[in-house]
Amino acid sequence: IKTFEFIQYQENKNLLLKERSVLGGGIRYDFQSDKFTCGIGSGFMYEHEVLISDNLIEGEKTDFNIVRIANLLTLNFTIIENKLIFHNTTFYQPSLSDILLDFRLYNESSLVFKISEQISLENILTFRHDSDPPSSLVNNDINFIVGLLISF
């Protein structure tokens, strides 16, 4: 068992985030085998958000201070040794004040294809669910990213 800590600052016009600051930590347990590693953890986080009000309903709240439970699950699996690796990270973050109705779920899955010792191709699929998004946003977002990783 070990601890985890994090601090984050974010701006994202697509999510109407003028600014988002997060601070948190908790405990985590990792276990592994030859081709598989898994981590599970839980803790708390403080989140401060200021929304861009341009597309919101008049009078809609734009400033939030929320304490959330920070749950995480990580999986890494080597499919083909030195060639193909699968990574998955899931966060489940319910609000302490409304655990059943105010939560966020975020999942990021990636496949990394190693082309050479220094170059890999990464395909990332992300899914984000917010049970209580701002009025002009939908509950679910899905993104697909293809990236080139270069190691020195």
Side-chain angles (χ1 to χ4, degrees):
I1 295 180
K2 58 186 175 182
T3 63
F4 67 90
E5 303 81 27
F6 56 93
I7 187 169
Q8 177 186 0
Y9 178 81
Q10 179 182 15
E11 297 174 4
N12 186 322
K13 289 182 182 180
N14 293 328
L15 296 176
L16 301 181
L17 290 175
K18 184 175 183 180
E19 65 181 68
R20 177 177 183 254
S21 302
V22 179
L23 174 67
I27 58 171
R28 175 182 172 141
Y29 177 72
D30 294 325
F31 51 95
Q32 64 184 30
S33 67
D34 291 341
K35 293 187 174 195
F36 178 82
T37 61
C38 181
I40 188 167
S42 190
F44 295 96
M45 62 185 257
Y46 169 77
E47 177 181 58
H48 173 74
E49 287 186 349
V50 179
L51 300 179
I52 300 167
S53 60
D54 298 349
N55 295 326
L56 299 179
I57 297 170
E58 188 175 328
E60 185 172 351
K61 188 174 178 180
T62 60
D63 197 307
F64 299 88
N65 293 293
I66 300 172
V67 176
R68 294 184 180 276
I69 301 171
N71 300 298
L72 67 96
L73 175 66
T74 61
L75 302 169
N76 296 300
F77 181 69
T78 301
I79 299 170
I80 301 172
E81 190 69 37
N82 295 320
K83 289 290 179 194
L84 184 58
I85 300 169
F86 173 76
H87 301 284
N88 193 81
T89 303
T90 302
F91 297 99
Y92 174 65
Q93 301 165 333
S95 167
L96 270 181
S97 63
D98 196 356
I99 290 176
L100 296 177
L101 297 178
D102 182 7
F103 65 90
R104 292 185 178 159
L105 177 68
Y106 179 83
N107 189 82
E108 180 175 295
S109 299
S110 71
L111 275 176
V112 179
F113 302 94
K114 194 165 189 173
I115 298 168
S116 70
E117 284 296 317
Q118 290 81 27
I119 300 173
S120 298
L121 181 67
E122 184 172 28
N123 296 289
I124 303 169
L125 179 66
T126 62
F127 171 78
R128 178 190 333 258
H129 174 83
D130 186 342
S131 66
D132 189 21
S135 61
S136 61
L137 296 181
V138 296
N139 292 84
N140 299 317
D141 291 320
I142 297 175
N143 292 302
F144 184 71
I145 303 165
V146 177
L148 190 63
L149 304 174
I150 301 173
S151 302
F152 297 98

